[in-house]
């Protein structure tokens, strides 16, 4: 399969989910932009929410990702399945940190 053939398959696979991808991008960018205008950086102190919520999202994602794909954790049998599940959960945990860290910074910012 050619490179553009692969891109075509990926495009048609992502097409039904474009609304969700756009929503997730907005949820990611709005707090980042607002917080950065007020002095936020990745090294800023975020607070309790940015410490405890992303690991919670990671753990919940281990159980909720298979349900979202209309599967169950019982069908995660091979190491490839586990790596995909863990990778998706890590990605959701990082996304949660990128969303919650600037929000917690803004909430805890003095003045």
């Amino acid at each position: 399969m050619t490179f553009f053939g692969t891109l075509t398959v990926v495009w048609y696979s992502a097409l039904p989910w474009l609304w969700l991808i756009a929503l997730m991008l907005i949820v990611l960018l709005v707090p980042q932009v607002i917080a950065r205008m007020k002095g936020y950086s990745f090294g800023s102190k975020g607070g309790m929410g940015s410490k405890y919520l992303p690991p919670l999202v990671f753990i919940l994602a281990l159980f909720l990702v298979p349900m979202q794909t209309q599967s169950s954790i019982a069908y995660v049998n091979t190491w490839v399945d586990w790596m995909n599940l863990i990778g998706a959960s890590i990605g959701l945990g990082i996304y949660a940190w990128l969303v919650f860290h600037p929000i917690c910074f803004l909430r805890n910012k003095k003045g």
Side-chain angles (χ1 to χ4, degrees), residues 4-20:
F4 289 109
T6 304
L7 285 179
T8 302
V9 170
V10 169
W11 171 253
Y12 283 112
S13 297
L15 201 55
W17 301 101
L18 283 181
W19 69 272
L20 184 61

Side-chain angles (χ1 to χ4, degrees), residues 48-59 89 92-98 100-101:
M48 298 293 273
S50 64
K51 290 179 184 172
Y52 296 120
L53 288 175
L56 181 64
V57 168
F58 168 78
I59 292 168
S89 299
L92 284 171
I94 291 170
Y95 176 82
W97 184 84
L98 288 171
F100 289 125
H101 195 255

Side-chain angles (χ1 to χ4, degrees), residues 76-100:
V76 182
N77 293 325
T78 65
W79 68 270
V80 176
D81 296 336
W82 279 106
M83 289 292 101
N84 286 327
L85 178 60
I86 292 169
S89 299
I90 288 172
L92 284 171
I94 291 170
Y95 176 82
W97 184 84
L98 288 171
V99 170
F100 289 125

